[in-house]
Amino acid sequence: MSHVAAITQLIKAYDQELRRVMYRRCGCIETAADIVQETYQRMMTGNLWQQAENPRALMHRIAANLATDHERRYKVRDHYVDNVDFLSEALQSSNGIDPEQIIAGHQRLDTLAEAVNQLPPKCRIVFVLRKIEDLSHAEIAERLGISRNMVEKHLRNAMQKLQQLDDL
C-alpha cells in the first residue's frame, strides 16, 4: 500500500472522531476544522506517522498540540485587546489625567520596547517567550533546544538589564 493510500485510509477512519474532539475543545467548528487540516498537513509532511506504533494516537497528539498553540495565541491576543480597550476607556472617561502623564507613559513604553530590542538575541527571545507568550521555562527550553538552567540564566540577565533601565 502506498504512503498516500495509507494516510488517506487513516484520515477516513478517524476524521469525524478528530473533528468532534477538536470541536469540543475549541467550541468553534471552523477552528476545529483548521486544526484538523493542519494536523493532516503535518502528518503528511513528516514520515513520523509511518514509524508510530499507534498512528491514531499520534494524530490526536498533533491535534492537541495545535489546539494548545491556538489557545495560547488567543490568550495573548485577548490580553492585549483587553488592555487596549481598558486604556481607551480610561483615556475617554478620565478628564483628570494630565496629558503630560499620558505622553510620559508612552515615552516610557517606547523606552522599554527599545531596551527589549537591544537585549542580546537569546535573552530577548527567552524574555518574549516567557513574559509575552507566557510559556513555561520547560516549554522555552524545548522550543529553543537549551537547558532550563540556560533559560533561567537568559531570563535573569534580561531582567537585570531591564531593571538597570528602571533604576535610571
Side-chain angles (χ1 to χ4, degrees), residues 18 21-22 25-26 32 35-36 38-39 42 56-72:
L18 190 59
V21 170
M22 288 301 105
R25 179 161 179 182
C26 300
I35 290 171
V36 169
E38 179 70 18
T39 300
R42 291 196 182 187
R56 176 180 169 260
L58 175 64
M59 188 173 6
H60 277 273
R61 173 53 39 210
I62 291 170
N65 289 344
L66 290 169
T68 300
D69 290 345
H70 177 271
E71 291 163 355
R72 280 191 190 124

mmCIF file with all atom_site columns, all heavy atoms in Angstrom, residues 18 21-22 25-26 32 35-36 38-39 42 56-72:
data_model
loop_
_atom_site.group_PDB
_atom_site.id
_atom_site.type_symbol
_atom_site.label_atom_id
_atom_site.label_alt_id
_atom_site.label_comp_id
_atom_site.label_asym_id
_atom_site.label_entity_id
_atom_site.label_seq_id
_atom_site.pdbx_PDB_ins_code
_atom_site.Cartn_x
_atom_site.Cartn_y
_atom_site.Cartn_z
_atom_site.occupancy
_atom_site.B_iso_or_equiv
_atom_site.pdbx_formal_charge
_atom_site.auth_seq_id
_atom_site.auth_comp_id
_atom_site.auth_asym_id
_atom_site.auth_atom_id
_atom_site.pdbx_PDB_model_num
ATOM 1   N N   . LEU A 1 18 ? -11.776 12.922 15.179 1.00 0.00 ? 18 LEU A N   1
ATOM 2   C CA  . LEU A 1 18 ? -10.844 14.018 15.456 1.00 0.00 ? 18 LEU A CA  1
ATOM 3   C C   . LEU A 1 18 ? -11.560 15.365 15.403 1.00 0.00 ? 18 LEU A C   1
ATOM 4   O O   . LEU A 1 18 ? -11.320 16.237 16.244 1.00 0.00 ? 18 LEU A O   1
ATOM 5   C CB  . LEU A 1 18 ? -9.692  13.975 14.448 1.00 0.00 ? 18 LEU A CB  1
ATOM 6   C CG  . LEU A 1 18 ? -8.511  14.890 14.726 1.00 0.00 ? 18 LEU A CG  1
ATOM 7   C CD1 . LEU A 1 18 ? -7.881  14.565 16.075 1.00 0.00 ? 18 LEU A CD1 1
ATOM 8   C CD2 . LEU A 1 18 ? -7.472  14.756 13.616 1.00 0.00 ? 18 LEU A CD2 1
ATOM 9   N N   . VAL A 1 21 ? -13.588 15.804 18.656 1.00 0.00 ? 21 VAL A N   1
ATOM 10  C CA  . VAL A 1 21 ? -12.716 16.097 19.795 1.00 0.00 ? 21 VAL A CA  1
ATOM 11  C C   . VAL A 1 21 ? -12.236 17.551 19.744 1.00 0.00 ? 21 VAL A C   1
ATOM 12  O O   . VAL A 1 21 ? -12.276 18.264 20.748 1.00 0.00 ? 21 VAL A O   1
ATOM 13  C CB  . VAL A 1 21 ? -11.514 15.118 19.835 1.00 0.00 ? 21 VAL A CB  1
ATOM 14  C CG1 . VAL A 1 21 ? -10.473 15.550 20.854 1.00 0.00 ? 21 VAL A CG1 1
ATOM 15  C CG2 . VAL A 1 21 ? -11.992 13.708 20.132 1.00 0.00 ? 21 VAL A CG2 1
ATOM 16  N N   . MET A 1 22 ? -11.824 17.993 18.579 1.00 0.00 ? 22 MET A N   1
ATOM 17  C CA  . MET A 1 22 ? -11.334 19.373 18.453 1.00 0.00 ? 22 MET A CA  1
ATOM 18  C C   . MET A 1 22 ? -12.468 20.384 18.629 1.00 0.00 ? 22 MET A C   1
ATOM 19  O O   . MET A 1 22 ? -12.279 21.442 19.217 1.00 0.00 ? 22 MET A O   1
ATOM 20  C CB  . MET A 1 22 ? -10.638 19.582 17.102 1.00 0.00 ? 22 MET A CB  1
ATOM 21  C CG  . MET A 1 22 ? -9.288  18.890 17.000 1.00 0.00 ? 22 MET A CG  1
ATOM 22  S SD  . MET A 1 22 ? -8.100  19.444 18.251 1.00 0.00 ? 22 MET A SD  1
ATOM 23  C CE  . MET A 1 22 ? -8.086  18.071 19.385 1.00 0.00 ? 22 MET A CE  1
ATOM 24  N N   . ARG A 1 25 ? -13.122 20.780 22.246 1.00 0.00 ? 25 ARG A N   1
ATOM 25  C CA  . ARG A 1 25 ? -12.056 21.528 22.904 1.00 0.00 ? 25 ARG A CA  1
ATOM 26  C C   . ARG A 1 25 ? -12.105 23.006 22.579 1.00 0.00 ? 25 ARG A C   1
ATOM 27  O O   . ARG A 1 25 ? -11.916 23.852 23.441 1.00 0.00 ? 25 ARG A O   1
ATOM 28  C CB  . ARG A 1 25 ? -10.703 20.948 22.504 1.00 0.00 ? 25 ARG A CB  1
ATOM 29  C CG  . ARG A 1 25 ? -9.563  21.694 23.145 1.00 0.00 ? 25 ARG A CG  1
ATOM 30  C CD  . ARG A 1 25 ? -8.317  20.922 23.160 1.00 0.00 ? 25 ARG A CD  1
ATOM 31  N NE  . ARG A 1 25 ? -7.260  21.719 23.767 1.00 0.00 ? 25 ARG A NE  1
ATOM 32  C CZ  . ARG A 1 25 ? -6.040  21.327 23.894 1.00 0.00 ? 25 ARG A CZ  1
ATOM 33  N NH1 . ARG A 1 25 ? -5.703  20.124 23.489 1.00 0.00 ? 25 ARG A NH1 1
ATOM 34  N NH2 . ARG A 1 25 ? -5.133  22.101 24.433 1.00 0.00 ? 25 ARG A NH2 1
ATOM 35  N N   . CYS A 1 26 ? -12.358 23.348 21.307 1.00 0.00 ? 26 CYS A N   1
ATOM 36  C CA  . CYS A 1 26 ? -12.302 24.744 20.860 1.00 0.00 ? 26 CYS A CA  1
ATOM 37  C C   . CYS A 1 26 ? -13.643 25.454 20.932 1.00 0.00 ? 26 CYS A C   1
ATOM 38  O O   . CYS A 1 26 ? -13.688 26.672 21.080 1.00 0.00 ? 26 CYS A O   1
ATOM 39  C CB  . CYS A 1 26 ? -11.802 24.820 19.418 1.00 0.00 ? 26 CYS A CB  1
ATOM 40  S SG  . CYS A 1 26 ? -10.174 24.130 19.177 1.00 0.00 ? 26 CYS A SG  1
ATOM 41  N N   . ALA A 1 32 ? -11.883 24.177 14.740 1.00 0.00 ? 32 ALA A N   1
ATOM 42  C CA  . ALA A 1 32 ? -11.644 22.736 14.794 1.00 0.00 ? 32 ALA A CA  1
ATOM 43  C C   . ALA A 1 32 ? -11.240 22.208 13.419 1.00 0.00 ? 32 ALA A C   1
ATOM 44  O O   . ALA A 1 32 ? -10.300 21.419 13.300 1.00 0.00 ? 32 ALA A O   1
ATOM 45  C CB  . ALA A 1 32 ? -12.895 22.014 15.294 1.00 0.00 ? 32 ALA A CB  1
ATOM 46  N N   . ILE A 1 35 ? -7.654  23.213 12.669 1.00 0.00 ? 35 ILE A N   1
ATOM 47  C CA  . ILE A 1 35 ? -6.699  22.406 13.438 1.00 0.00 ? 35 ILE A CA  1
ATOM 48  C C   . ILE A 1 35 ? -6.581  21.008 12.835 1.00 0.00 ? 35 ILE A C   1
ATOM 49  O O   . ILE A 1 35 ? -5.469  20.481 12.684 1.00 0.00 ? 35 ILE A O   1
ATOM 50  C CB  . ILE A 1 35 ? -7.111  22.347 14.923 1.00 0.00 ? 35 ILE A CB  1
ATOM 51  C CG1 . ILE A 1 35 ? -6.896  23.715 15.571 1.00 0.00 ? 35 ILE A CG1 1
ATOM 52  C CG2 . ILE A 1 35 ? -6.339  21.259 15.668 1.00 0.00 ? 35 ILE A CG2 1
ATOM 53  C CD1 . ILE A 1 35 ? -7.466  23.844 16.967 1.00 0.00 ? 35 ILE A CD1 1
ATOM 54  N N   . VAL A 1 36 ? -7.694  20.415 12.451 1.00 0.00 ? 36 VAL A N   1
ATOM 55  C CA  . VAL A 1 36 ? -7.670  19.092 11.838 1.00 0.00 ? 36 VAL A CA  1
ATOM 56  C C   . VAL A 1 36 ? -6.909  19.130 10.514 1.00 0.00 ? 36 VAL A C   1
ATOM 57  O O   . VAL A 1 36 ? -6.080  18.262 10.234 1.00 0.00 ? 36 VAL A O   1
ATOM 58  C CB  . VAL A 1 36 ? -9.111  18.548 11.650 1.00 0.00 ? 36 VAL A CB  1
ATOM 59  C CG1 . VAL A 1 36 ? -9.118  17.300 10.789 1.00 0.00 ? 36 VAL A CG1 1
ATOM 60  C CG2 . VAL A 1 36 ? -9.746  18.259 13.006 1.00 0.00 ? 36 VAL A CG2 1
ATOM 61  N N   . GLU A 1 38 ? -4.558  21.256 9.620  1.00 0.00 ? 38 GLU A N   1
ATOM 62  C CA  . GLU A 1 38 ? -3.131  21.422 9.922  1.00 0.00 ? 38 GLU A CA  1
ATOM 63  C C   . GLU A 1 38 ? -2.538  20.103 10.433 1.00 0.00 ? 38 GLU A C   1
ATOM 64  O O   . GLU A 1 38 ? -1.388  19.777 10.131 1.00 0.00 ? 38 GLU A O   1
ATOM 65  C CB  . GLU A 1 38 ? -2.940  22.528 10.965 1.00 0.00 ? 38 GLU A CB  1
ATOM 66  C CG  . GLU A 1 38 ? -1.503  22.766 11.382 1.00 0.00 ? 38 GLU A CG  1
ATOM 67  C CD  . GLU A 1 38 ? -0.634  23.395 10.307 1.00 0.00 ? 38 GLU A CD  1
ATOM 68  O OE1 . GLU A 1 38 ? -1.165  23.976 9.346  1.00 0.00 ? 38 GLU A OE1 1
ATOM 69  O OE2 . GLU A 1 38 ? 0.600   23.301 10.436 1.00 0.00 ? 38 GLU A OE2 1
ATOM 70  N N   . THR A 1 39 ? -3.317  19.353 11.173 1.00 0.00 ? 39 THR A N   1
ATOM 71  C CA  . THR A 1 39 ? -2.868  18.035 11.654 1.00 0.00 ? 39 THR A CA  1
ATOM 72  C C   . THR A 1 39 ? -2.545  17.128 10.473 1.00 0.00 ? 39 THR A C   1
ATOM 73  O O   . THR A 1 39 ? -1.493  16.487 10.430 1.00 0.00 ? 39 THR A O   1
ATOM 74  C CB  . THR A 1 39 ? -3.948  17.384 12.546 1.00 0.00 ? 39 THR A CB  1
ATOM 75  O OG1 . THR A 1 39 ? -4.184  18.233 13.673 1.00 0.00 ? 39 THR A OG1 1
ATOM 76  C CG2 . THR A 1 39 ? -3.513  16.010 13.011 1.00 0.00 ? 39 THR A CG2 1
ATOM 77  N N   . ARG A 1 42 ? 0.634   18.225 8.734  1.00 0.00 ? 42 ARG A N   1
ATOM 78  C CA  . ARG A 1 42 ? 1.843   17.830 9.469  1.00 0.00 ? 42 ARG A CA  1
ATOM 79  C C   . ARG A 1 42 ? 2.084   16.321 9.379  1.00 0.00 ? 42 ARG A C   1
ATOM 80  O O   . ARG A 1 42 ? 3.221   15.880 9.320  1.00 0.00 ? 42 ARG A O   1
ATOM 81  C CB  . ARG A 1 42 ? 1.751   18.272 10.917 1.00 0.00 ? 42 ARG A CB  1
ATOM 82  C CG  . ARG A 1 42 ? 1.837   19.776 11.014 1.00 0.00 ? 42 ARG A CG  1
ATOM 83  C CD  . ARG A 1 42 ? 2.141   20.239 12.376 1.00 0.00 ? 42 ARG A CD  1
ATOM 84  N NE  . ARG A 1 42 ? 2.145   21.700 12.373 1.00 0.00 ? 42 ARG A NE  1
ATOM 85  C CZ  . ARG A 1 42 ? 2.520   22.415 13.400 1.00 0.00 ? 42 ARG A CZ  1
ATOM 86  N NH1 . ARG A 1 42 ? 2.919   21.829 14.504 1.00 0.00 ? 42 ARG A NH1 1
ATOM 87  N NH2 . ARG A 1 42 ? 2.508   23.723 13.332 1.00 0.00 ? 42 ARG A NH2 1
ATOM 88  N N   . ARG A 1 56 ? -3.124  6.667  15.132 1.00 0.00 ? 56 ARG A N   1
ATOM 89  C CA  . ARG A 1 56 ? -4.306  7.398  15.610 1.00 0.00 ? 56 ARG A CA  1
ATOM 90  C C   . ARG A 1 56 ? -3.934  8.264  16.812 1.00 0.00 ? 56 ARG A C   1
ATOM 91  O O   . ARG A 1 56 ? -4.298  9.429  16.896 1.00 0.00 ? 56 ARG A O   1
ATOM 92  C CB  . ARG A 1 56 ? -5.397  6.407  15.998 1.00 0.00 ? 56 ARG A CB  1
ATOM 93  C CG  . ARG A 1 56 ? -6.612  7.058  16.600 1.00 0.00 ? 56 ARG A CG  1
ATOM 94  C CD  . ARG A 1 56 ? -7.660  5.992  16.970 1.00 0.00 ? 56 ARG A CD  1
ATOM 95  N NE  . ARG A 1 56 ? -8.695  6.586  17.775 1.00 0.00 ? 56 ARG A NE  1
ATOM 96  C CZ  . ARG A 1 56 ? -8.755  6.477  19.097 1.00 0.00 ? 56 ARG A CZ  1
ATOM 97  N NH1 . ARG A 1 56 ? -7.847  5.788  19.754 1.00 0.00 ? 56 ARG A NH1 1
ATOM 98  N NH2 . ARG A 1 56 ? -9.738  7.056  19.753 1.00 0.00 ? 56 ARG A NH2 1
ATOM 99  N N   . ALA A 1 57 ? -3.192  7.696  17.756 1.00 0.00 ? 57 ALA A N   1
ATOM 100 C CA  . ALA A 1 57 ? -2.759  8.454  18.935 1.00 0.00 ? 57 ALA A CA  1
ATOM 101 C C   . ALA A 1 57 ? -1.842  9.603  18.531 1.00 0.00 ? 57 ALA A C   1
ATOM 102 O O   . ALA A 1 57 ? -1.940  10.706 19.083 1.00 0.00 ? 57 ALA A O   1
ATOM 103 C CB  . ALA A 1 57 ? -2.060  7.529  19.926 1.00 0.00 ? 57 ALA A CB  1
ATOM 104 N N   . LEU A 1 58 ? -0.978  9.358  17.558 1.00 0.00 ? 58 LEU A N   1
ATOM 105 C CA  . LEU A 1 58 ? -0.094  10.420 17.071 1.00 0.00 ? 58 LEU A CA  1
ATOM 106 C C   . LEU A 1 58 ? -0.917  11.556 16.472 1.00 0.00 ? 58 LEU A C   1
ATOM 107 O O   . LEU A 1 58 ? -0.653  12.727 16.733 1.00 0.00 ? 58 LEU A O   1
ATOM 108 C CB  . LEU A 1 58 ? 0.887   9.868  16.027 1.00 0.00 ? 58 LEU A CB  1
ATOM 109 C CG  . LEU A 1 58 ? 1.790   10.901 15.360 1.00 0.00 ? 58 LEU A CG  1
ATOM 110 C CD1 . LEU A 1 58 ? 2.724   11.546 16.387 1.00 0.00 ? 58 LEU A CD1 1
ATOM 111 C CD2 . LEU A 1 58 ? 2.588   10.261 14.235 1.00 0.00 ? 58 LEU A CD2 1
ATOM 112 N N   . MET A 1 59 ? -1.928  11.214 15.684 1.00 0.00 ? 59 MET A N   1
ATOM 113 C CA  . MET A 1 59 ? -2.787  12.227 15.066 1.00 0.00 ? 59 MET A CA  1
ATOM 114 C C   . MET A 1 59 ? -3.482  13.055 16.154 1.00 0.00 ? 59 MET A C   1
ATOM 115 O O   . MET A 1 59 ? -3.535  14.281 16.073 1.00 0.00 ? 59 MET A O   1
ATOM 116 C CB  . MET A 1 59 ? -3.818  11.542 14.160 1.00 0.00 ? 59 MET A CB  1
ATOM 117 C CG  . MET A 1 59 ? -4.614  12.508 13.340 1.00 0.00 ? 59 MET A CG  1
ATOM 118 S SD  . MET A 1 59 ? -5.721  11.813 12.090 1.00 0.00 ? 59 MET A SD  1
ATOM 119 C CE  . MET A 1 59 ? -5.695  10.083 12.304 1.00 0.00 ? 59 MET A CE  1
ATOM 120 N N   . HIS A 1 60 ? -3.981  12.397 17.188 1.00 0.00 ? 60 HIS A N   1
ATOM 121 C CA  . HIS A 1 60 ? -4.639  13.116 18.288 1.00 0.00 ? 60 HIS A CA  1
ATOM 122 C C   . HIS A 1 60 ? -3.646  13.993 19.045 1.00 0.00 ? 60 HIS A C   1
ATOM 123 O O   . HIS A 1 60 ? -3.982  15.099 19.467 1.00 0.00 ? 60 HIS A O   1
ATOM 124 C CB  . HIS A 1 60 ? -5.333  12.129 19.234 1.00 0.00 ? 60 HIS A CB  1
ATOM 125 C CG  . HIS A 1 60 ? -6.685  11.722 18.758 1.00 0.00 ? 60 HIS A CG  1
ATOM 126 N ND1 . HIS A 1 60 ? -7.819  12.430 19.053 1.00 0.00 ? 60 HIS A ND1 1
ATOM 127 C CD2 . HIS A 1 60 ? -7.086  10.685 17.980 1.00 0.00 ? 60 HIS A CD2 1
ATOM 128 C CE1 . HIS A 1 60 ? -8.865  11.848 18.496 1.00 0.00 ? 60 HIS A CE1 1
ATOM 129 N NE2 . HIS A 1 60 ? -8.445  10.778 17.840 1.00 0.00 ? 60 HIS A NE2 1
ATOM 130 N N   . ARG A 1 61 ? -2.411  13.517 19.228 1.00 0.00 ? 61 ARG A N   1
ATOM 131 C CA  . ARG A 1 61 ? -1.399  14.307 19.937 1.00 0.00 ? 61 ARG A CA  1
ATOM 132 C C   . ARG A 1 61 ? -1.042  15.557 19.137 1.00 0.00 ? 61 ARG A C   1
ATOM 133 O O   . ARG A 1 61 ? -0.933  16.647 19.677 1.00 0.00 ? 61 ARG A O   1
ATOM 134 C CB  . ARG A 1 61 ? -0.157  13.447 20.195 1.00 0.00 ? 61 ARG A CB  1
ATOM 135 C CG  . ARG A 1 61 ? 1.047   14.164 20.773 1.00 0.00 ? 61 ARG A CG  1
ATOM 136 C CD  . ARG A 1 61 ? 0.851   14.982 22.030 1.00 0.00 ? 61 ARG A CD  1
ATOM 137 N NE  . ARG A 1 61 ? -0.021  14.446 23.011 1.00 0.00 ? 61 ARG A NE  1
ATOM 138 C CZ  . ARG A 1 61 ? -0.760  15.194 23.863 1.00 0.00 ? 61 ARG A CZ  1
ATOM 139 N NH1 . ARG A 1 61 ? -0.686  16.500 23.844 1.00 0.00 ? 61 ARG A NH1 1
ATOM 140 N NH2 . ARG A 1 61 ? -1.541  14.634 24.738 1.00 0.00 ? 61 ARG A NH2 1
ATOM 141 N N   . ILE A 1 62 ? -0.856  15.410 17.838 1.00 0.00 ? 62 ILE A N   1
ATOM 142 C CA  . ILE A 1 62 ? -0.547  16.565 16.978 1.00 0.00 ? 62 ILE A CA  1
ATOM 143 C C   . ILE A 1 62 ? -1.684  17.578 17.061 1.00 0.00 ? 62 ILE A C   1
ATOM 144 O O   . ILE A 1 62 ? -1.453  18.782 17.232 1.00 0.00 ? 62 ILE A O   1
ATOM 145 C CB  . ILE A 1 62 ? -0.290  16.121 15.520 1.00 0.00 ? 62 ILE A CB  1
ATOM 146 C CG1 . ILE A 1 62 ? 1.013   15.329 15.425 1.00 0.00 ? 62 ILE A CG1 1
ATOM 147 C CG2 . ILE A 1 62 ? -0.247  17.331 14.587 1.00 0.00 ? 62 ILE A CG2 1
ATOM 148 C CD1 . ILE A 1 62 ? 1.234   14.649 14.080 1.00 0.00 ? 62 ILE A CD1 1
ATOM 149 N N   . ALA A 1 63 ? -2.915  17.103 16.948 1.00 0.00 ? 63 ALA A N   1
ATOM 150 C CA  . ALA A 1 63 ? -4.073  17.994 17.008 1.00 0.00 ? 63 ALA A CA  1
ATOM 151 C C   . ALA A 1 63 ? -4.163  18.691 18.368 1.00 0.00 ? 63 ALA A C   1
ATOM 152 O O   . ALA A 1 63 ? -4.447  19.898 18.442 1.00 0.00 ? 63 ALA A O   1
ATOM 153 C CB  . ALA A 1 63 ? -5.351  17.216 16.709 1.00 0.00 ? 63 ALA A CB  1
ATOM 154 N N   . ALA A 1 64 ? -3.912  17.959 19.444 1.00 0.00 ? 64 ALA A N   1
ATOM 155 C CA  . ALA A 1 64 ? -3.959  18.553 20.784 1.00 0.00 ? 64 ALA A CA  1
ATOM 156 C C   . ALA A 1 64 ? -2.887  19.627 20.939 1.00 0.00 ? 64 ALA A C   1
ATOM 157 O O   . ALA A 1 64 ? -3.146  20.696 21.509 1.00 0.00 ? 64 ALA A O   1
ATOM 158 C CB  . ALA A 1 64 ? -3.782  17.472 21.843 1.00 0.00 ? 64 ALA A CB  1
ATOM 159 N N   . ASN A 1 65 ? -1.689  19.368 20.421 1.00 0.00 ? 65 ASN A N   1
ATOM 160 C CA  . ASN A 1 65 ? -0.618  20.373 20.481 1.00 0.00 ? 65 ASN A CA  1
ATOM 161 C C   . ASN A 1 65 ? -0.993  21.616 19.677 1.00 0.00 ? 65 ASN A C   1
ATOM 162 O O   . ASN A 1 65 ? -0.752  22.747 20.113 1.00 0.00 ? 65 ASN A O   1
ATOM 163 C CB  . ASN A 1 65 ? 0.696   19.793 19.978 1.00 0.00 ? 65 ASN A CB  1
ATOM 164 C CG  . ASN A 1 65 ? 1.290   18.784 20.934 1.00 0.00 ? 65 ASN A CG  1
ATOM 165 O OD1 . ASN A 1 65 ? 0.903   18.713 22.095 1.00 0.00 ? 65 ASN A OD1 1
ATOM 166 N ND2 . ASN A 1 65 ? 2.219   17.987 20.447 1.00 0.00 ? 65 ASN A ND2 1
ATOM 167 N N   . LEU A 1 66 ? -1.580  21.426 18.505 1.00 0.00 ? 66 LEU A N   1
ATOM 168 C CA  . LEU A 1 66 ? -2.015  22.567 17.694 1.00 0.00 ? 66 LEU A CA  1
ATOM 169 C C   . LEU A 1 66 ? -3.110  23.353 18.402 1.00 0.00 ? 66 LEU A C   1
ATOM 170 O O   . LEU A 1 66 ? -3.126  24.586 18.358 1.00 0.00 ? 66 LEU A O   1
ATOM 171 C CB  . LEU A 1 66 ? -2.492  22.090 16.316 1.00 0.00 ? 66 LEU A CB  1
ATOM 172 C CG  . LEU A 1 66 ? -1.399  21.580 15.382 1.00 0.00 ? 66 LEU A CG  1
ATOM 173 C CD1 . LEU A 1 66 ? -2.012  20.882 14.175 1.00 0.00 ? 66 LEU A CD1 1
ATOM 174 C CD2 . LEU A 1 66 ? -0.491  22.718 14.941 1.00 0.00 ? 66 LEU A CD2 1
ATOM 175 N N   . ALA A 1 67 ? -4.027  22.658 19.065 1.00 0.00 ? 67 ALA A N   1
ATOM 176 C CA  . ALA A 1 67 ? -5.088  23.340 19.805 1.00 0.00 ? 67 ALA A CA  1
ATOM 177 C C   . ALA A 1 67 ? -4.500  24.155 20.963 1.00 0.00 ? 67 ALA A C   1
ATOM 178 O O   . ALA A 1 67 ? -4.929  25.284 21.218 1.00 0.00 ? 67 ALA A O   1
ATOM 179 C CB  . ALA A 1 67 ? -6.107  22.327 20.319 1.00 0.00 ? 67 ALA A CB  1
ATOM 180 N N   . THR A 1 68 ? -3.507  23.587 21.638 1.00 0.00 ? 68 THR A N   1
ATOM 181 C CA  . THR A 1 68 ? -2.843  24.312 22.720 1.00 0.00 ? 68 THR A CA  1
ATOM 182 C C   . THR A 1 68 ? -2.165  25.569 22.188 1.00 0.00 ? 68 THR A C   1
ATOM 183 O O   . THR A 1 68 ? -2.270  26.644 22.785 1.00 0.00 ? 68 THR A O   1
ATOM 184 C CB  . THR A 1 68 ? -1.812  23.405 23.425 1.00 0.00 ? 68 THR A CB  1
ATOM 185 O OG1 . THR A 1 68 ? -2.506  22.274 23.964 1.00 0.00 ? 68 THR A OG1 1
ATOM 186 C CG2 . THR A 1 68 ? -1.084  24.152 24.531 1.00 0.00 ? 68 THR A CG2 1
ATOM 187 N N   . ASP A 1 69 ? -1.466  25.450 21.061 1.00 0.00 ? 69 ASP A N   1
ATOM 188 C CA  . ASP A 1 69 ? -0.836  26.625 20.443 1.00 0.00 ? 69 ASP A CA  1
ATOM 189 C C   . ASP A 1 69 ? -1.882  27.670 20.091 1.00 0.00 ? 69 ASP A C   1
ATOM 190 O O   . ASP A 1 69 ? -1.673  28.870 20.312 1.00 0.00 ? 69 ASP A O   1
ATOM 191 C CB  . ASP A 1 69 ? -0.065  26.227 19.183 1.00 0.00 ? 69 ASP A CB  1
ATOM 192 C CG  . ASP A 1 69 ? 1.182   25.416 19.485 1.00 0.00 ? 69 ASP A CG  1
ATOM 193 O OD1 . ASP A 1 69 ? 1.610   25.394 20.658 1.00 0.00 ? 69 ASP A OD1 1
ATOM 194 O OD2 . ASP A 1 69 ? 1.728   24.807 18.544 1.00 0.00 ? 69 ASP A OD2 1
ATOM 195 N N   . HIS A 1 70 ? -2.997  27.244 19.549 1.00 0.00 ? 70 HIS A N   1
ATOM 196 C CA  . HIS A 1 70 ? -4.087  28.156 19.182 1.00 0.00 ? 70 HIS A CA  1
ATOM 197 C C   . HIS A 1 70 ? -4.603  28.884 20.424 1.00 0.00 ? 70 HIS A C   1
ATOM 198 O O   . HIS A 1 70 ? -4.794  30.111 20.407 1.00 0.00 ? 70 HIS A O   1
ATOM 199 C CB  . HIS A 1 70 ? -5.207  27.368 18.509 1.00 0.00 ? 70 HIS A CB  1
ATOM 200 C CG  . HIS A 1 70 ? -6.391  28.195 18.170 1.00 0.00 ? 70 HIS A CG  1
ATOM 201 N ND1 . HIS A 1 70 ? -7.422  28.399 19.043 1.00 0.00 ? 70 HIS A ND1 1
ATOM 202 C CD2 . HIS A 1 70 ? -6.706  28.887 17.044 1.00 0.00 ? 70 HIS A CD2 1
ATOM 203 C CE1 . HIS A 1 70 ? -8.320  29.185 18.490 1.00 0.00 ? 70 HIS A CE1 1
ATOM 204 N NE2 . HIS A 1 70 ? -7.914  29.487 17.275 1.00 0.00 ? 70 HIS A NE2 1
ATOM 205 N N   . GLU A 1 71 ? -4.825  28.140 21.498 1.00 0.00 ? 71 GLU A N   1
ATOM 206 C CA  . GLU A 1 71 ? -5.319  28.747 22.736 1.00 0.00 ? 71 GLU A CA  1
ATOM 207 C C   . GLU A 1 71 ? -4.333  29.766 23.293 1.00 0.00 ? 71 GLU A C   1
ATOM 208 O O   . GLU A 1 71 ? -4.728  30.828 23.765 1.00 0.00 ? 71 GLU A O   1
ATOM 209 C CB  . GLU A 1 71 ? -5.595  27.654 23.771 1.00 0.00 ? 71 GLU A CB  1
ATOM 210 C CG  . GLU A 1 71 ? -6.783  26.782 23.417 1.00 0.00 ? 71 GLU A CG  1
ATOM 211 C CD  . GLU A 1 71 ? -6.834  25.474 24.198 1.00 0.00 ? 71 GLU A CD  1
ATOM 212 O OE1 . GLU A 1 71 ? -5.881  25.173 24.963 1.00 0.00 ? 71 GLU A OE1 1
ATOM 213 O OE2 . GLU A 1 71 ? -7.816  24.746 24.025 1.00 0.00 ? 71 GLU A OE2 1
ATOM 214 N N   . ARG A 1 72 ? -3.047  29.459 23.232 1.00 0.00 ? 72 ARG A N   1
ATOM 215 C CA  . ARG A 1 72 ? -2.028  30.403 23.718 1.00 0.00 ? 72 ARG A CA  1
ATOM 216 C C   . ARG A 1 72 ? -2.038  31.693 22.899 1.00 0.00 ? 72 ARG A C   1
ATOM 217 O O   . ARG A 1 72 ? -1.956  32.779 23.450 1.00 0.00 ? 72 ARG A O   1
ATOM 218 C CB  . ARG A 1 72 ? -0.640  29.774 23.641 1.00 0.00 ? 72 ARG A CB  1
ATOM 219 C CG  . ARG A 1 72 ? -0.353  28.852 24.758 1.00 0.00 ? 72 ARG A CG  1
ATOM 220 C CD  . ARG A 1 72 ? 1.123   28.481 24.768 1.00 0.00 ? 72 ARG A CD  1
ATOM 221 N NE  . ARG A 1 72 ? 1.341   27.415 25.699 1.00 0.00 ? 72 ARG A NE  1
ATOM 222 C CZ  . ARG A 1 72 ? 1.893   26.260 25.399 1.00 0.00 ? 72 ARG A CZ  1
ATOM 223 N NH1 . ARG A 1 72 ? 2.314   26.026 24.174 1.00 0.00 ? 72 ARG A NH1 1
ATOM 224 N NH2 . ARG A 1 72 ? 2.052   25.343 26.296 1.00 0.00 ? 72 ARG A NH2 1
#
